[in-house]
Amino acid sequence: MYTGFRNRITAAALFSTILFVFLFQGSAMGAGQEKKRATATRTSGQVNIDGRLEEPSWQEAVPATDFVIYNPHNGIPSSYRTEVRILYDDDALYIGAIMFDNKPDSIYTELGQRDEGDINADHFWVEISPFNDGLNGEVFKVSASNVQIDNKMTTSESWERHDTWDAVWDSRTTVNDNGWVAELKIPYSALRFPRSATQLWGINFWREVRRIRETSSWNFVTKEFGSSIAHLGELTGMRDVKPPLRLSLVPYVSGYLEHVTDEPGVGTSYNGGLDLKVGLTESFTLDATLIPDFGQVQSDDQVLNLSPYEVKYNEKRPFFMEGTELFNKGDIFYSRRIGGTPHLVRAVYDMTGENEVVTRNPSEVSLLNATKISGRTSGGLGIGIFNAVTNSTWAEVENTITGEKRRIMTEPLTNYNMLVLDQTLKNDSYVSVMNTSVIRAGEDTEDFYTANVSAFEALVKTSDRLWSASAGGALSQKYYTSAPTALGHFMTFNAGKTGGKFRTDYNFMLMSDTYDPNDMGYLRRNNEISHSVDFGYNTYEPFGNIMSTRTSVDISYDQLYMPRAFTSASIELDGMLILMNYWSFSLNLGFTPWGEDDYFEPRTRDMSMYYHRPPAFEARLRGDTDKSKRLYLEFNGEYMKAWSDYGQHGYSWSLQPEFKASRRFSFDYEIAVEKMFNDIGFVEADPVEGITFGKRNVTTVTNTLSGAFIFSSDSYLTLRGRHYWSKADYDGSYYTLQGDGSLSDRTSDVDNSDVNSNFLNIDMVYTWRFAPGSELSLVWKNSIWSEGDVIIRSGLDNFADLLSMPQTNSISLKILYYLDYQNFRKVFRSK
C-alpha cells in the first residue's frame, strides 16, 4: 500500500515540475511596473512638528499624489485625494501628508498603545528602504490620533504582525475642515543609509480610510506577488546628506516588591543597568544591554504539555525582539534559550544523596550582558553579529540530619554567539550564511558541551517575481572531550510558481536523526523526510459580495530519515474568502487516510518503537467580522475523528468578542474549549513492563480577559488576566505498546496518571512615555499555579482550589531615559 502511494506522490511531484517548467511561460503581471519618483526639497528653516504644515518650505516641495487602491479594488485610483510632501535638512527627513476627506467629522480617531496598529483610526504611513534593495526597510506609521507604529520590513514576514522595532522619531496630527494632516520628523539616526553625495531611496506612502476600510498607496502595489517592500517607488533630490554619529544611552533603574502568600515578609530588590546604541559606521550599529532587567515582561501563556515535544514560548524581552530580522535567517536562533531554564533544573533532584533535600533551585539563568552588531553595506551585504553571556547557576542541597550544605551546578557560565551574512541579489533575491555557537565554561559532560550550527539559505526569483526557487541547509555539531563529535544535517528545497492567481510548488525537506540546533535554536523534532506538492488559486478582484478568495490543495508524504520508514501521508484542502463588508471565513479539511506511525510518542531514543495512529479526519472553521466596528467577533471551531476501536474523537472552539466602548477604552474576552475523548497517549516506560499507553479524556478551558484605557497616545493602562485549566482524566484502561505499533491490554496495576493543572496570571501595566524614547512603567503581576493527580469536576470547585494555593504578587517600577548624542550636539552648537 505504501509503495503504491509513494508512486502516486512521485507522479504528483513530476507533474508539479512539469507545470513549473512549461505551464505558465508568460507572466500575468510583469514586475516591470514603472516606479514613481518623488523629490525631496532641502529646507534651511526650522520645521515645527505640529501637524499644520504652515512653514513656507512645505509649499515649495512638490507633492506626491495620485494614490492607487490596494483594498478592496486593487489597481484603481483612490476616491480620496492625498498629497505628500518631503523635506530634508542635515538632521532629518520630514514627511507632510494631507489626507483630504469631505466628511472630517467621520474620521476615526480611536486612541491606542504605541505599536498597536489595528486600532479604529485612520492611518498614514511611509515605507523607506535607504539601500533601495527591495528586501529591507523601515515603516513609520501614525494614526489620526497620533499613535505611532514603527517596524522593520523584510520580504519574509509581515511587519504588521511583528512590531518588534522601536525608533525615536516625532509626529503630530490634526483634524481640520478638509480632512486630517500628519507631520513626521524621522531623524537620520533612526535610519541606516550609504555614505554618498546623492541618495536614491526606495519609498512608498500609504493611507487607510478606516470607516470604509479602503487602503491605498502612492506607488502601485499588486496583490499578485511579493510583499509591499517589492513595490517601492523612489525618492530623489537628497544631496550632501551625511550619516550622523549614532550614539545613544538608555539607562534604567527599577525596584520590586514581591510577596508569596505562604512565606513571611515582603521581598525587595533594586536593579540598574543600561542599553547602548553606537553607530560604528553609517550603516552598522552596535546594540548592547548591560545588566538587563526583564522582570516586567508579560507572563508566558503556560500549558499542560502531554506531548513528547518542548513547548515554544514567544519572546517578549525587548532587546531580543528589536532589530533581530537578520538573526532570524536560517531558523536556527531562538532567543529564549538565552537566560532560559537551566539544563539540570529537574535532574538535580536525582543527584541528591541520602537525607538530602533541595533547598534552592533557580528556574531561570541570569543574563549578564548581550550585544548585537548589524547593518548592510552599499553593495547589499548584510552582516549580523550577536553575543550574549549568562551566569552560572547553582542549586543548593542540605542534609537534614547533619545540616551540611552543598551546591550543584545546573548551568555553567555560557557564551552564545551568532554570525549572519546576507547578500541581496536582483529581483528581490538573496543568499545567506549563518553560524551559531554555544560555549559552556568548565569541563565538558553529557549535559555541558560546546555546540555549533552552520547553515545557509538562498532565494532566487524570476524578473517578473512570479516564479521562485529556494534552498537551505544546516550542519549541527556537538563537541565533547570524552566522546566523539555528534554531527547532524538538514536540507530543504522549494520550487514553483509563487505569484499570480494560480500557484503551485514542490517542497522537499530532509532532517537527519542526529540534527540538533536546540542549544541556540528551536526544533520540535528531527529525523524526518518530507515531500509535498501544493496547488492554489487566488482571486484578487471583487465579484458580487466577495472581495477575494484563496483555495489550495496540499499533498504530503513523510518518512523517517533513520530507519527509512513510512510515517504519514496527508491531503489538506484549504479555502478562505473575504466579503466586501470585511467579514472573512476560512475552512480547512485534513485527511490522513493511512494513519500515522508515530515514532516520537513512545519516547525511545533509538526509534525502535512506534505507535500506529489510525486514519483520521480533521475540519477547522474560522470566521471574523469587520474589526472597524465597535463590536468585533472572532470564532474558531475544529472537529477531529479517528477511525479506531477506541472511539477517538474531539472538538475545540473559541469565541473572542472585542468591544470598543469609546475612543479611549476597549476590552476583549476570549474563551477557548478543547475536548479530546478516548485519547491514547504515553504514560510510562519500564524495563520489565515495556512502554505503557493509557486512554484518557483531555479537557482544556482557557479564559482570557484584556482591556486598555488610553489617557493619551503616550499614556495608557492595560490589564490582562488569563486562567488556563487542563485535565487529563484516565479511565483505567492501560495498554502495552507492541512492536507493530498496536496496543495490547495491560493487566498489571499502573499508578494514578490523572493530571489536573491550572495557571492563573494577571498583568496590569501603566505606561507613560514622558519623552521621546523615555518611559516610566508601573507593573502589578499576580501568578498562581497548581497541579495534582485528583481530577476536579466542577469549574467553581477547581477555581476555589486554585485560589487556596500560594500566590505570588509583585509590584515594580521601572524608569528608563533616552539620551541621544545628537541632542547634546545641538545644544552645544546653539551655544
Side-chain angles (χ1 to χ4, degrees):
M1 176 175 63
Y2 299 152
T3 302
F5 187 79
R6 282 198 296 266
N7 292 337
R8 289 191 288 272
I9 286 291
T10 304
L14 180 61
F15 177 61
S16 178
T17 305
I18 294 172
L19 282 175
F20 176 74
V21 178
F22 297 109
L23 186 57
F24 286 94
Q25 295 296 326
S27 66
M29 185 170 209
Q33 186 81 24
E34 185 176 352
K35 294 183 177 182
K36 289 184 178 180
R37 284 203 163 191
T39 303
T41 301
R42 178 176 277 277
T43 177
S44 56
Q46 175 144 2
V47 179
N48 296 316
I49 305 303
D50 54 13
R52 302 189 184 279
L53 308 186
E54 294 176 341
E55 291 82 3
S57 299
W58 286 118
Q59 308 310 315
E60 298 172 4
V62 179
T65 59
D66 300 329
F67 276 49
V68 180
I69 291 177
Y70 181 78
N71 260 339
H73 297 275
N74 191 212
I76 69 172
S78 172
S79 54
Y80 291 86
R81 185 159 63 100
T82 305
E83 293 183 359
V84 183
R85 290 175 167 84
I86 309 105
L87 302 175
Y88 75 99
D89 58 20
D90 291 334
D91 300 313
L93 184 73
Y94 304 87
I95 309 291
I98 304 174
M99 276 62 67
F100 292 94
D101 195 320
N102 58 5
K103 295 181 179 179
D105 293 339
S106 300
I107 295 172
Y108 282 22
T109 58
E110 183 185 3
L111 286 162
Q113 307 170 55
R114 194 183 199 278
D115 286 329
E116 187 178 2
D118 202 22
I119 60 176
N120 257 354
D122 286 30
H123 284 92
F124 168 81
W125 65 98
V126 55
E127 299 173 340
I128 302 175
S129 177
F131 288 91
N132 199 22
D133 57 11
L135 292 170
N136 304 275
E138 290 79 32
V139 179
F140 300 89
K141 183 176 183 180
V142 65
S143 72
S145 49
N146 201 40
V147 175
Q148 290 185 349
I149 304 99
D150 50 25
N151 214 321
K152 293 284 188 178
M153 295 178 69
T154 68
T155 58
S156 60
E157 58 186 17
S158 170
W159 61 265
E160 294 176 312
R161 294 193 298 271
H162 301 272
D163 53 348
T164 59
W165 175 71
D166 281 336
V168 178
W169 52 290
D170 198 8
S171 66
R172 291 294 184 275
T173 60
T174 58
V175 178
N176 55 42
D177 293 339
N178 297 318
W180 67 286
V181 177
E183 190 172 16
L184 286 66
K185 177 184 179 181
I186 305 172
Y188 295 140
S189 58
L191 301 168
R192 305 178 191 181
F193 55 93
R195 186 178 295 275
S196 175
T198 302
Q199 300 288 331
L200 180 64
W201 293 3
I203 199 165
N204 205 1
F205 310 106
W206 290 76
R207 175 187 182 179
E208 178 188 18
V209 182
R210 186 70 173 184
R211 66 181 181 273
I212 63 170
R213 298 296 297 272
E214 178 187 295
T215 56
S216 57
S217 62
W218 168 65
N219 198 71
F220 173 58
V221 178
T222 178
K223 294 181 180 180
E224 293 207 11
F225 66 88
S227 60
S228 62
I229 196 173
H231 303 83
L232 300 182
E234 293 181 336
L235 177 65
T236 63
M238 297 178 64
R239 297 180 178 84
D240 302 321
V241 174
K242 297 180 180 179
L245 173 62
R246 290 173 284 115
L247 172 61
S248 64
L249 294 173
V250 186
Y252 82 87
V253 291
S254 62
Y256 291 83
L257 299 174
E258 184 172 280
H259 175 63
V260 181
T261 54
D262 64 344
E263 296 180 5
V266 177
T268 62
S269 63
Y270 305 93
N271 298 307
L274 62 86
D275 290 347
L276 169 69
K277 288 183 183 288
V278 180
L280 303 178
T281 69
E282 66 270 18
S283 304
F284 287 85
T285 301
L286 179 148
D287 293 89
T289 182
L290 180 64
I291 317 178
D293 174 20
F294 301 122
Q296 291 192 331
V297 299
Q298 181 180 301
S299 304
D300 286 327
D301 289 344
Q302 298 183 72
V303 298
L304 170 64
N305 185 17
L306 298 174
S307 78
Y309 311 115
E310 174 191 9
V311 177
K312 183 178 183 181
Y313 291 109
N314 294 330
E315 179 62 86
K316 298 171 184 176
R317 298 172 295 177
F319 180 83
F320 295 102
M321 295 171 66
E322 297 176 1
T324 56
E325 63 281 351
L326 262 179
F327 302 103
N328 292 329
K329 295 282 186 178
D331 198 24
I332 58 173
F333 177 65
Y334 176 46
S335 56
R336 288 293 297 262
R337 297 286 181 217
I338 302 164
T341 304
H343 270 71
L344 302 183
V345 69
R346 295 180 180 85
V348 71
Y349 295 96
D350 298 325
M351 301 166 68
T352 56
E354 188 177 357
N355 301 320
E356 284 187 325
V357 295
V358 178
T359 57
R360 184 175 181 272
N361 188 16
S363 61
E364 188 174 286
V365 176
S366 174
L367 175 64
L368 296 178
N369 60 71
T371 305
K372 54 180 184 264
I373 298 173
S374 60
R376 193 169 295 274
T377 69
S378 58
L381 176 62
I383 302 175
I385 302 172
F386 177 90
N387 175 266
V389 179
T390 59
N391 205 357
S392 55
T393 307
W394 299 81
E396 296 179 359
V397 177
E398 182 178 354
N399 190 301
T400 57
I401 297 179
T402 65
E404 182 181 355
K405 298 180 180 179
R406 66 186 181 97
R407 298 198 306 166
I408 300 175
M409 179 184 288
T410 57
E411 187 75 20
L413 181 75
T414 306
N415 189 289
Y416 297 85
N417 300 278
M418 184 172 188
L419 171 66
V420 183
L421 301 176
D422 174 55
Q423 178 64 57
T424 61
L425 306 172
K426 67 177 183 178
N427 302 330
D428 308 333
S429 306
Y430 65 87
V431 59
S432 308
V433 293
M434 299 73 65
N435 177 266
T436 64
S437 65
V438 179
I439 304 171
R440 299 179 174 92
E443 183 179 355
D444 291 348
T445 67
E446 182 181 354
D447 298 295
F448 304 143
Y449 49 85
T450 297
N452 187 284
V453 179
S454 300
F456 84 95
E457 65 177 27
L459 171 68
V460 178
K461 296 182 180 180
T462 58
S463 60
D464 59 12
R465 276 62 164 189
L466 297 180
W467 302 82
S468 68
S470 63
L475 175 69
S476 66
Q477 305 155 78
K478 292 183 179 182
Y479 299 100
Y480 305 93
T481 56
S482 57
T485 299
L487 301 177
H489 62 276
F490 160 79
M491 63 182 66
T492 183
F493 173 77
N494 170 274
K497 186 174 185 290
T498 52
K501 294 181 178 179
F502 176 80
R503 306 185 181 197
T504 181
D505 63 345
Y506 165 71
N507 298 275
F508 169 77
M509 187 272 293
L510 182 150
M511 197 178 299
S512 73
D513 57 322
T514 54
Y515 178 66
D516 183 5
N518 281 345
D519 290 276
M520 199 167 171
Y522 175 86
L523 178 65
R524 189 167 178 262
R525 71 185 205 185
N526 57 15
N527 197 8
E528 187 176 5
I529 298 177
S530 176
H531 303 266
S532 68
V533 184
D534 302 330
F535 301 93
Y537 185 81
N538 303 331
T539 64
Y540 304 103
E541 291 302 317
F543 56 96
N545 291 322
I546 298 176
M547 182 188 304
S548 62
T549 65
R550 185 187 71 229
T551 55
S552 65
V553 179
D554 176 80
I555 305 170
S556 64
Y557 176 77
D558 300 329
Q559 301 170 275
L560 283 186
Y561 172 81
M562 186 66 68
R564 198 64 55 88
F566 167 87
T567 55
S568 68
S570 66
I571 301 173
E572 188 171 328
L573 309 175
D574 195 17
M576 186 189 75
L577 62 86
I578 302 176
L579 303 180
M580 292 299 291
N581 63 0
Y582 283 90
W583 289 35
S584 68
F585 300 92
S586 62
L587 177 66
N588 177 274
L589 303 176
F591 308 87
T592 52
W594 293 279
E596 177 188 3
D597 290 347
D598 190 341
Y599 286 81
F600 296 90
E601 183 67 18
R603 274 82 155 171
T604 57
R605 287 190 176 185
D606 59 359
M607 298 292 172
S608 59
M609 301 289 286
Y610 68 90
Y611 167 54
H612 179 69
R613 299 186 183 277
F617 164 78
E618 186 175 21
R620 293 189 294 270
L621 175 68
R622 179 191 177 277
D624 67 343
T625 63
D626 183 358
K627 206 163 188 178
S628 69
K629 305 303 180 183
R630 294 188 68 182
L631 178 63
Y632 165 78
L633 293 173
E634 180 179 333
F635 170 79
N636 289 272
E638 183 175 4
Y639 177 75
M640 300 144 282
K641 179 176 176 57
W643 283 272
S644 71
D645 296 334
Y646 303 107
Q648 296 162 282
H649 69 284
Y651 66 84
S652 66
W653 62 269
S654 66
L655 182 65
Q656 182 177 359
E658 179 181 321
F659 184 68
K660 299 171 175 57
S662 70
R663 66 186 295 261
R664 297 183 185 275
F665 176 55
S666 64
F667 63 90
D668 65 81
Y669 166 71
E670 180 182 11
I671 179 171
V673 177
E674 180 179 1
K675 291 194 173 185
M676 297 295 297
F677 299 95
N678 303 317
D679 180 50
I680 304 292
F682 174 87
V683 174
E684 63 182 16
D686 183 88
V688 177
E689 298 290 345
I691 298 174
T692 300
F693 276 57
K695 184 151 63 78
R696 62 206 179 190
N697 293 331
V698 182
T699 304
T700 303
V701 181
T702 308
N703 289 275
T704 307
L705 178 66
S706 303
F709 188 88
I710 313 298
F711 301 99
S712 71
S713 59
D714 296 317
S715 174
Y716 35 85
L717 179 70
T718 63
L719 173 70
R720 184 177 190 268
R722 174 182 180 266
H723 175 225
Y724 171 93
W725 176 28
S726 186
K727 52 186 179 180
D729 185 6
Y730 288 80
D731 68 357
S733 300
Y734 293 96
Y735 312 95
T736 300
L737 182 65
Q738 303 299 303
D740 61 355
S742 64
L743 301 174
S744 64
D745 291 338
R746 175 169 169 170
T747 55
S748 56
D749 293 336
V750 178
D751 293 337
N752 180 23
S753 305
D754 294 344
V755 182
N756 193 91
S757 182
N758 285 269
F759 296 97
L760 175 64
N761 292 97
I762 302 174
D763 296 72
M764 186 166 67
V765 182
Y766 170 70
T767 303
W768 176 31
R769 296 178 178 268
F770 57 87
S774 303
E775 182 178 287
L776 177 150
S777 55
L778 180 64
V779 178
W780 169 59
K781 302 178 77 170
N782 174 271
S783 64
I784 315 175
W785 168 78
S786 72
E787 187 167 283
D789 59 5
V790 177
I791 301 296
I792 303 177
R793 308 293 175 182
S794 166
L796 291 177
D797 292 342
N798 175 76
F799 197 69
D801 179 75
L802 174 65
L803 293 181
S804 69
M805 297 295 170
Q807 303 183 27
T808 301
N809 281 278
S810 70
I811 297 177
S812 61
L813 176 67
K814 184 175 183 179
I815 302 173
L816 55 87
Y817 193 80
Y818 177 76
L819 302 172
D820 187 2
Y821 165 78
Q822 295 300 321
N823 292 334
F824 288 108
R825 184 178 66 88
K826 291 178 186 177
V827 172
F828 294 137
R829 190 170 57 183
S830 64
K831 293 181 179 180

